[in-house]
Amino acid sequence: MSAEDAVRSAYQVRRWVGLVEETYHEGGVVESEPLVKAVAGVVIRNPFAGRYEADLSPLIDPSPALGTALGKRAAALLGGREIQSYGKGGIAGLAGEQEHVVACVTSVFGDALREAVGGGAAWISSTTKTASAGAGIDIPLAFKDEVYVRSHYDAIHVAVPDVPRPDELFICVAVASGGRLHHRVGGMSAEEARAAARA
């Protein structure tokens, strides 16, 4: 069974969402290759909307399929470019709780996401919230092999007009092909982090 089939068997999927940004400059030198950032998201029904439930395992247990499916979609949106950064997050509709989103993006989700995007040694930056349909969220990005690489601290904004409905969850992952364009505030570089990992 494919990851997407596993997602559809475990969750009620209404929509998949994809977003790609290609940026060539931020007011400085125009780069020959753009910084490409992408978000892959899925809109699912929240089985706990409107009620409190102590046991969130029905959201947690199948979430590796979510991590795999979203990771593969995000990688495809990058068009074969190297994935240097990643992040995760999502929004719970107003009949749900922030904890419902968190349940979908715990460590088992993260482990599957790492594998789907070609590995990563760093923990995955995350943000979650509860909001009404059309609310936006900034999915954080950080270098996938060392979270302290300052040049790769970034984010990508995503908002969908009718997402999430009150009884839905919007689960997202983000990836990027590099650090911020024109980064120049110092700190450990990606190359230094890679060299340290090899030493």
Side-chain angles (χ1 to χ4, degrees), residues 45-119:
R45 189 183 72 82
N46 182 354
F48 304 126
R51 64 186 176 90
Y52 179 84
E53 175 59 57
D55 179 9
L56 300 181
S57 60
L59 291 174
I60 299 169
D61 292 346
S63 67
L66 280 174
T68 299
L70 290 172
K72 288 182 176 181
R73 280 176 171 261
L77 290 172
L78 236 55
R81 294 174 177 87
E82 177 191 7
I83 293 172
Q84 292 194 17
S85 299
Y86 52 28
K88 61 183 180 176
I91 307 173
L94 293 178
E97 301 174 43
Q98 182 179 9
E99 199 71 1
H100 298 156
V101 181
V102 175
C104 292
V105 295
T106 62
S107 57
V108 291
F109 171 98
D111 291 342
L113 171 60
R114 281 187 190 88
E115 184 174 345
V117 301

Side-chain angles (χ1 to χ4, degrees), residues 171-184:
I171 310 300
C172 301
V173 305
V175 294
S177 64
R180 298 182 315 279
L181 293 176
H182 317 315
H183 59 82
R184 53 194 188 278

Side-chain angles (χ1 to χ4, degrees), residues 23-26 28-35 180-183:
T23 305
Y24 285 89
H25 73 90
E26 292 289 353
V29 174
V30 177
E31 302 291 342
S32 59
E33 288 293 323
L35 168 62
R180 298 182 315 279
L181 293 176
H182 317 315
H183 59 82

